[in-house]
Amino acid sequence: MLAGHAPIVAAVRPGILTIITGDTHQKIIVLGGLAEMSEKGLTVLANVATSLDELDVAQFADSISEMEAKLSEKEGSELDLALERLDHFKSIQNQLSTTAMH
């Protein structure tokens, strides 16, 4: 961030966040939240955060299946929100399978 610029606050959509400390790269799954960028650095306030090493991949897949099964119960804007959340979870799942290959 350039000196003299106002801090920026933005919504964080679900995804995989990589934290780099020196030569260490730690991947964290975040399920939404807020991020603030200021002269002090980046601060992420996540609704839910799980280390990739601690993630139960089978349970994550089960959560996606449950979300898909419940879509028929929703309509209108509630359905739109459910589809958006499902899309984010599937995107994370795709990133996980790509990460597992490397």
Side-chain angles (χ1 to χ4, degrees):
M1 175 158 224
L2 298 174
H5 283 256
I8 298 169
V9 176
V12 173
R13 70 178 198 186
I16 298 176
L17 175 69
T18 302
I19 300 171
I20 301 169
T21 309
D23 292 336
T24 305
H25 291 64
Q26 181 182 13
K27 292 187 181 289
I28 306 286
I29 293 177
V30 294
L31 300 179
L34 294 173
E36 178 190 27
M37 175 68 101
S38 70
E39 290 180 6
K40 296 177 187 174
L42 174 67
T43 301
V44 177
L45 302 171
N47 295 339
V48 177
T50 305
S51 169
L52 206 58
D53 297 334
E54 297 171 4
L55 179 71
D56 184 333
V57 177
Q59 185 177 10
F60 193 79
D62 287 345
S63 296
I64 290 173
S65 295
E66 280 180 36
M67 292 167 73
E68 288 174 327
K70 291 181 180 178
L71 286 178
S72 62
E73 302 169 9
K74 303 188 184 310
E75 56 185 39
S77 62
E78 191 178 66
L79 177 59
D80 292 341
L81 289 172
L83 286 169
E84 182 179 0
R85 185 166 172 81
L86 178 60
D87 185 50
H88 290 313
F89 272 65
K90 284 186 172 186
S91 174
I92 292 170
Q93 190 176 44
N94 288 339
Q95 290 176 52
L96 290 172
S97 41
T98 303
T99 302
M101 290 181 194
H102 296 289

